[in-house]
Amino acid sequence: PQVAAALGAMVDRYSVWHWRNTDPVRRSATPAIKSLVAVTCPTLVILGELDLPDFKEIAQRLAAEIPGAALHTIADTGHMASMEAPAAVNDLLLAHLRANSGRKER
């Protein structure tokens, strides 16, 4: 309930700028999903155990196709793992950053 309330408040504050304006992002002609093999930085993929099947598939694909990517599943969380289990997410992020500090891209 607390996460739902916090998320609801975030949505209520959203200005809907992206619906009212042209997206300024220039997208590559190649879909990003086809370029995963080219990712050269250390990559952490975090998945909520209770997330929807489509998002689980996406996370698993990212981890499988990005060279050296690490996939971590956080128990008892859904799609908003950073709000549902912030300490667990922070622990994973800090461990990932420590393990890869000073590491250069391939």
Side-chain angles (χ1 to χ4, degrees):
Q2 290 174 326
V3 171
L7 187 57
M10 289 169 66
V11 170
D12 287 344
R13 289 190 307 268
Y14 176 55
S15 69
V16 300
W17 186 93
H18 285 89
W19 295 105
R20 295 180 181 163
N21 297 280
T22 302
D23 189 349
V25 175
R26 291 188 177 153
R27 306 214 187 283
S28 169
T30 303
I33 196 75
K34 294 187 178 199
S35 300
L36 295 177
V37 71
V39 175
T40 59
C41 62
T43 303
L44 172 64
V45 180
I46 296 176
L47 172 63
E49 175 188 34
L50 305 175
D51 207 341
L52 298 171
D54 288 351
F55 289 107
K56 287 181 179 182
E57 287 179 31
I58 291 167
Q60 290 163 350
R61 183 168 181 186
L62 291 171
E65 294 187 25
I66 296 172
L71 173 64
H72 291 276
T73 301
I74 299 179
D76 299 320
T77 63
H79 190 67
M80 303 303 292
S82 61
M83 293 176 74
E84 297 172 61
V89 170
N90 287 343
D91 288 346
L92 286 171
L93 288 171
L94 288 171
H96 179 75
L97 291 171
R98 284 185 191 112
N100 293 288
S101 67
R103 181 175 155 185
K104 297 187 190 246
E105 292 185 28
R106 293 184 301 284

